[in-house]
Structures are given as structure tokens and as C-alpha cells.
Amino acid sequence: MECEFGVSGTAVCWLRSYLTDRRQFVKLGRFSSATSPCTTGVPQGSVLVPLLFTAYVAPIGDVIESFCMSYHQFADDTQLYVEMDASNTTAALSLLQNTANTIVNWI
């Protein structure tokens, strides 16, 4: 959040405290499991989930652009656009594969 969007100070401290030292448990009827620490993710149903997800995936755009490709992001979808000659799709498909592999490795 600090590097990509310039969010700092109290706002970063608030986000950090919101996302750390959380615990979870399962409740079924009157029975509850023991609590376990939550080390990843955000609280399900939180109003911050869309914002935090968007912030998390935003750097993917830099990776895509490093391959000279166009893209569009909306919510949890990312669309890649590549120009190709219909009679020779090999180069375009290779570019898409390399970009996808890089993104998967980045995540």
C-alpha cells in the first residue's frame, strides 16, 4: 500500500492492525472448534475486501505491460489483449503463455 499507492502513516497502521493477529473458529449449532490463527486473507464479507483485493492485484498490470501487452482489470477479472496474425498464431500464443507463467510465478 505504501509503495504502490502512497498510503502511509495512520492509514497503514490501521490496515496492518485490521489484518494481523486475527483468529478464527468454526461453530456448528452449540459446538465450537478451537481457535486458530489467520495468517493470510481478509475477513470474509468485509467491506474492505474489494478494495484490498484490487490493491493486491494492481501490480499485475506492470508485469503485463513489461510484455508490451494491453489489459483490462475489473474486480477479480483480468483480460489480456494481444494482436496476432490469424494465419500464424504461434507467436501470440507464446507471448500469452509467457505472460501467464510470469504472473502465476509473481503471485
Side-chain angles (χ1 to χ4, degrees):
M1 295 298 281
E2 291 174 281
C3 296
E4 189 72 22
F5 300 104
V7 178
S8 61
T10 302
V12 169
C13 291
W14 179 78
L15 285 170
R16 188 175 291 121
S17 71
Y18 178 69
L19 296 172
T20 57
D21 298 323
R22 293 179 298 112
R23 302 188 64 78
Q24 66 184 6
F25 68 94
V26 176
K27 183 173 182 177
L28 182 59
R30 57 190 174 122
F31 300 100
S32 297
S33 69
T35 60
S36 299
C38 292
T39 57
T40 60
V42 295
Q44 186 175 358
S46 166
V47 296
L48 289 179
V49 168
L51 174 69
L52 294 173
F53 179 80
T54 301
Y56 177 73
V57 299
I60 289 174
D62 296 334
V63 174
I64 295 168
E65 287 175 347
S66 75
F67 285 88
C68 298
M69 293 184 66
S70 298
Y71 70 98
H72 175 77
Q73 289 180 295
F74 180 77
D76 62 349
D77 292 326
T78 300
Q79 300 168 342
L80 304 178
Y81 299 101
V82 61
E83 184 178 331
M84 71 174 124
D85 180 349
S87 65
N88 181 9
T89 59
T90 304
L93 292 174
S94 178
L95 178 61
L96 282 170
Q97 183 66 52
N98 290 338
T99 305
N101 288 340
T102 301
I103 291 169
V104 168
N105 290 331
W106 175 81
I107 294 173

